[in-house]
Amino acid sequence: MAHGTYATDMERMGWFLDARFGMFIHWGLYAIPARGEWVRSQERLSVEDYRPYFEAFNPTRYQPREWAKAAKAAGQKYAVMTAKHHDGFCLFDSALTDYKATNTPAGRDLIREYVEAFRAEGLKVGLYYSLLDWHHPDYPAYGDPHHPMRDNPAFRDRKHDFSRYVAYLHGQVRELLTNYGRIDIMWFDFSYGEMAGEAWRATDLVRMVRELQPHIIIDNRLGGNIRSAHPEPYAGDFASPEQIIPPEGVTNELGQPIPWEACITLNHHWGYCAADNDYKTPKQVVRALVECVSKGGNLLLNVGPNAKGEIPQPSLEILSEVGRWMRANGESIYGCGRADLPKPEWGRYTQKGNRLYAHVFDRPIGPVNFRGLAGKVKRARLLADGSELRLERPWNATEYADDAFVTLPGAGLPDEIDTVIELELVE
Ligand code: H57
């Protein structure tokens, strides 16, 4: 592994930095209305309005082993699934609430099945847990710009005891990290305004999390500042840019790289949305993954299974095409990170030790130019089939003495998604 000097604990982070590509799964009662996981907030639905979905939840085609196989075939190495989203509904069998999958027609613990299925396919397993809870009677609606009942004065001003909610949150996290064996990632979502840090009793919470699962890694949404030179104990292990890839990766205020993971949807929703068929192309997804890795980050790519428990067909097709590319080119992703070179005009670089990977997105007119690499490249080959590419200075490029060149065969690109040239650097 060649990830340079990180500010955080590399013992725990190593597998995550090597893995680079994971599956995010947003699944819950909101799959039934099929208008995204924020439906309660957006449409101001009360607990009563939302009850029919609890009574109807019956995912007869839930086969997490199939999800795990799709993730694995796409080249993903880990997954993170919503144990509880903002609506408060628990896919797991919590002793602390009745608002859980076991009390729906599903009648069983769906998180247990997820954990077992993904583990059986050799994938690392993460759990998403929402800090917000629009179901819990002690979760305040006042001052919360997101709460479904924010416009209802009677609800807003009702008596509640937030400390009871925080105890519930701690208790559920304890259940999740006690009852399901090894959990690799704890993904909290999210803090806002005053609802941050010690409002969640975050120092205690993180102490408990690390006690129960010493190897676990935690995202940065409990409200600390992961970029500080002296981060809070709850600042987390990796940054979590959402629906954006940071222009220059993520560093702390000392300039050291920080592990990060961009979470990105395939269409425009996390939870299943029947009307949203505006999907990214496999090419966009592969290039997003390459962009993340070229900047030292991971990509957590979302799927939103439907009410029956199926990953939507368009998502499966994208995953399968990304998998085709990954099988040929995965070496340029796993264990790779940023190269200490400027971004080339034709695409991006990733690097692992003395292997520099040139991701050619746009075939240049004439040869591919590796700026500043004259005399620094021992060999070049097409990563996908191992075929040699000759490193020679073309007759029309004699004046670029500092650069190395290869000429690609044919006219277009061997792989229009991303043609990877592996450059073996002189040690
Ligand atoms: O689970 C997914 C994703 C991983 N995080 C959740 C989503 O459901 C969304 C988080 N969105 C956060 C967000 C965006 C705007 C504000 C919060 C004042 C009024 C509204 C904003 C502030 Fe909020």
Side-chain angles (χ1 to χ4, degrees), residues 123-313:
L123 300 172
K124 299 271 191 201
V125 171
L127 295 175
Y128 169 111
Y129 186 87
S130 173
L131 300 169
L132 285 70
D133 193 316
W134 300 330
H135 182 85
H136 198 284
D138 290 307
Y139 195 89
Y142 63 82
D144 180 348
H146 319 97
H147 200 285
M149 297 292 98
R150 58 193 174 277
D151 302 332
N152 178 323
F155 188 97
R156 223 174 37 222
D157 303 333
R158 82 204 192 291
K159 261 178 83 146
H160 70 280
D161 177 355
F162 185 59
S163 69
R164 267 199 310 230
Y165 172 70
V166 175
Y168 173 79
L169 145 68
H170 284 228
Q172 288 207 314
V173 171
R174 177 181 290 284
E175 290 181 319
L176 287 170
L177 300 184
T178 304
N179 298 339
Y180 301 90
R182 181 183 168 111
I183 300 298
D184 301 291
I185 303 179
M186 193 69 221
W187 219 104
F188 293 111
D189 194 23
F190 60 95
S191 297
Y192 56 97
E194 307 277 284
M195 299 295 243
E198 294 308 345
W200 312 118
R201 282 206 282 117
T203 300
D204 276 356
L205 181 61
V206 164
R207 188 185 303 126
M208 177 186 74
V209 168
R210 298 212 191 279
E211 229 166 70
L212 294 172
Q213 304 266 349
H215 55 273
I216 207 166
I217 63 176
I218 309 174
D219 74 341
N220 68 332
R221 295 190 174 195
L222 281 167
N225 177 12
I226 196 175
R227 302 191 59 197
S228 160
H230 302 286
E232 302 85 348
Y234 53 84
D237 297 309
F238 63 91
S240 57
E242 178 171 328
Q243 302 287 40
I244 193 167
I245 299 175
E248 296 176 36
V250 182
T251 51
N252 68 9
E253 54 193 39
L254 305 175
Q256 298 165 308
I258 290 177
W260 60 271
E261 170 192 70
C263 53
I264 309 273
T265 52
L266 274 173
N267 52 9
H268 301 277
H269 291 81
W270 300 93
Y272 181 64
C273 181
D276 182 358
N277 282 298
D278 187 24
Y279 284 89
K280 295 175 182 65
T281 61
K283 182 196 269 190
Q284 285 177 295
V285 171
V286 166
R287 291 180 179 198
L289 174 59
V290 170
E291 181 176 350
C292 290
V293 177
S294 78
K295 296 172 175 179
N298 286 22
L299 174 63
L300 185 64
L301 185 66
N302 184 71
V303 296
N306 65 24
K308 289 293 177 197
E310 299 160 311
I311 297 175
Q313 195 56 33

Side-chain angles (χ1 to χ4, degrees), residues 41-112:
S41 173
Q42 278 157 1
E43 302 180 16
R44 312 292 198 272
L45 303 182
S46 68
V47 166
E48 285 310 309
D49 296 333
Y50 202 59
R51 187 175 308 281
Y53 308 126
F54 179 80
E55 282 160 9
F57 191 60
N58 193 14
T60 51
R61 295 200 277 273
Y62 176 50
Q63 289 179 309
R65 197 68 190 253
E66 297 305 310
W67 299 0
K69 286 186 174 141
K72 193 173 179 182
Q76 296 170 321
K77 299 289 196 191
Y78 65 101
V80 179
M81 173 149 142
T82 50
K84 183 195 88 172
H85 203 266
H86 308 335
D87 64 1
F89 176 68
C90 299
L91 286 173
F92 64 106
D93 187 11
S94 171
L96 305 176
T97 184
D98 294 329
Y99 200 49
K100 55 182 178 181
T102 28
N103 292 336
T104 68
R108 57 201 208 278
D109 186 326
L110 303 172
I111 287 295
R112 182 169 304 288

Side-chain angles (χ1 to χ4, degrees), residues 383-399:
L383 182 59
D385 66 1
S387 57
E388 172 189 49
L389 292 168
R390 293 171 63 191
L391 281 153
E392 9 178 63
R393 180 168 306 280
W395 65 271
N396 54 356
T398 45
E399 56 206 280

